[in-house]
């Protein structure tokens, strides 16, 4: 093994994201230390050879990378508890779905202890949660969003990209916590709310034999972890509420055109939506640049 493959990675939380990180690093030959609130999960991770040992304050100093793959409040608590025991050379990264609360607290903890910390949000996942659904290749080809401190911005970005190489991310972008949370309210959180609300129609229970790809695509993320998403939604409630208001107004316009039997307005609304999608896809192709 190379020196890099013998590095130790610490992971707090072995759900879908943390478990997939653990599998990716273990598959690359890294030593993985982890902790999870579920004893059954820890037992399974050890039996499968994914985790070498439990992450504790006593062995935390061995970690070159510490990943906080739990809910934001728990990530802050774990970092605060482990910070006094970490090596000055470590990079700490949270993998939470919102960024304002967690990065504000964690930047302060990192500064207090002289530790490098960056916020991270892997743009990958499935509708299923838990270690049992984690995959070593979950992040292969996916984008990774970073929230970096103003000082040592470039150095820490390079450090993060290097240390995360076993995960297989295709691209890395960096932004502020504010911009991240505003955009993610639209791209992720609103989609989960709409999907979750959509299946509350009585027709959802009798649709069998009448649905195809569009139903499957729109309802995939209705199957969610309500405890996690509730915390993320409430932390980002200002931006998410704004996005829900926008879509309510848009839907009201469609409803009005139907109620008034107004084909001209309905056609215009549908055309505007198609054009907006085309424009958004074109912008995405321009802005997305995979790593060489």
């Amino acid at each position: 093994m190379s020196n890099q493959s013998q590095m130790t990675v610490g992971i707090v939380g072995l759900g879908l994201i943390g478990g997939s990180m653990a599998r990716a690093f273990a598959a690359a030959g890294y030593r993985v230390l982890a902790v999870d609130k579920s004893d059954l999960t820890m037992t399974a991770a050890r039996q499968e050879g994914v985790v070498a040992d439990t992450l504790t304050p006593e062995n935390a100093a061995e970690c070159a990378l510490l990943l906080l793959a739990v809910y934001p409040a728990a990530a802050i608590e774990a970092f605060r508890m482990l910070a006094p025991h970490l090596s000055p050379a470590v990079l700490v990264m949270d993998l939470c779905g919102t960024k304002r609360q967690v990065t504000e607290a964690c930047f302060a903890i990192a500064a207090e202890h002289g530790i490098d910390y960056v916020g991270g949000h892997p743009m990958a996942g499935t509708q299923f949660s838990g270690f049992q659904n984690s995959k070593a290749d979950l992040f292969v080809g996916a984008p990774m969003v970073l929230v970096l401190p103003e000082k040592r911005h470039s150095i820490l970005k390079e450090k993060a990209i290097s240390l995360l190489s076993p995960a297989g991310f295709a691209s890395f972008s960096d932004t502020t916590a504010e911009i991240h949370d505003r955009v993610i309210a639209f791209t992720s959180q609103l989609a989960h709310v709409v999907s979750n609300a959509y299946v509350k129609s009585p027709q959802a229970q009798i649709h069998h034999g009448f649905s195809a790809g569009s139903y499957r695509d729109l309802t995939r993320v209705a199957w969610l972890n309500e405890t996690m998403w509730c915390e993320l939604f409430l932390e980002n409630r200002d931006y998410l509420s704004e996005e829900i208001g926008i879509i309510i107004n848009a839907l009201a316009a469609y409803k009005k055109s139907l109620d008034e039997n107004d084909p001209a307005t309905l056609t215009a609304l549908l055309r505007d939506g198609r054009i907006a999608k085309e424009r958004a896809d074109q912008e995405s192709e321009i802005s997305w640049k995979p790593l060489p």
Side-chain angles (χ1 to χ4, degrees):
M1 283 188 185
S2 67
N3 287 334
Q4 185 185 46
S5 65
Q6 295 172 341
M7 288 172 56
T8 297
V9 175
I11 302 177
V12 178
L14 290 174
L16 176 67
I17 299 300
S20 295
M21 283 290 187
R23 291 185 189 279
F25 279 96
Y30 286 64
R31 176 170 173 253
V32 177
L33 305 176
V35 63
D36 190 272
K37 63 183 180 181
S38 168
D39 292 338
L40 290 176
T41 294
M42 288 296 297
T43 298
R46 284 198 192 91
Q47 289 178 343
E48 294 181 36
V50 175
V51 171
D53 205 350
T54 301
L55 175 67
T56 66
E58 289 70 32
N59 61 21
E62 301 169 26
C63 299
L65 175 66
L66 176 64
L67 298 172
L68 307 173
V70 287
Y71 303 169
I76 295 167
E77 181 183 352
F79 188 17
R80 186 173 287 120
M81 186 266 290
L82 291 171
H85 309 280
L86 296 171
S87 163
V90 74
L91 176 67
V92 179
M93 177 184 297
D94 81 90
L95 302 176
C96 301
T98 56
K99 282 287 160 277
R100 283 176 291 174
Q101 176 183 335
V102 71
T103 57
E104 181 180 7
C106 288
F107 280 136
I109 296 169
E112 179 184 350
H113 294 277
I115 296 169
D116 286 336
Y117 159 80
V118 301
H121 189 178
M123 296 290 104
T126 73
Q127 67 269 42
F128 305 112
S129 60
F131 181 76
Q132 67 273 21
N133 293 302
S134 61
K135 303 185 296 180
D137 63 351
L138 181 67
F139 309 109
V140 174
M144 177 66 163
V145 179
L146 302 174
V147 176
L148 301 159
E150 292 182 11
K151 293 182 179 179
R152 304 180 68 239
H153 179 285
S154 298
I155 293 172
L156 289 183
K157 185 173 183 179
E158 299 264 339
K159 187 176 181 180
I161 291 173
S162 175
L163 287 171
L164 288 172
S165 59
F169 290 105
S171 66
F172 287 81
S173 59
D174 59 275
T175 186
T176 66
E178 190 85 16
I179 292 174
H180 171 277
D181 286 1
R182 177 175 284 279
V183 175
I184 217 71
F186 170 73
T187 60
S188 175
Q189 294 185 336
L190 180 64
H192 283 78
V193 169
V194 170
S195 182
N196 197 262
Y198 178 80
V199 295
K200 291 178 179 178
S201 166
Q203 303 307 316
Q205 306 308 316
I206 59 173
H207 77 276
H208 304 288
F210 293 84
S211 59
S214 55
Y215 175 84
R216 183 179 62 248
D217 292 345
L218 187 53
T219 60
R220 181 180 66 84
V221 293
W223 195 338
L224 46 70
N225 178 335
E226 59 269 21
T227 303
M228 178 187 76
W229 284 102
C230 177
E231 180 172 333
L232 294 175
F233 288 167
L234 289 176
E235 286 190 4
N236 210 31
R237 60 188 178 276
D238 50 351
Y239 291 145
L240 179 55
S241 178
E242 180 181 340
E243 290 296 338
I244 291 174
I246 291 170
I247 197 169
I248 286 174
N249 290 337
L251 289 172
Y254 289 94
K255 184 178 186 308
K256 184 172 183 289
S257 69
L258 291 168
D259 291 344
E260 295 178 357
N261 193 23
D262 182 353
T265 299
L266 181 57
T267 301
L269 290 169
L270 295 170
R271 181 180 63 247
D272 290 347
R274 173 181 57 78
I275 292 171
K277 172 61 174 170
E278 291 173 356
R279 193 174 299 150
D281 287 351
Q282 290 169 359
E283 288 294 325
S284 177
E285 290 174 5
I286 292 169
S287 61
W288 191 83
K289 296 179 181 178
L291 293 174

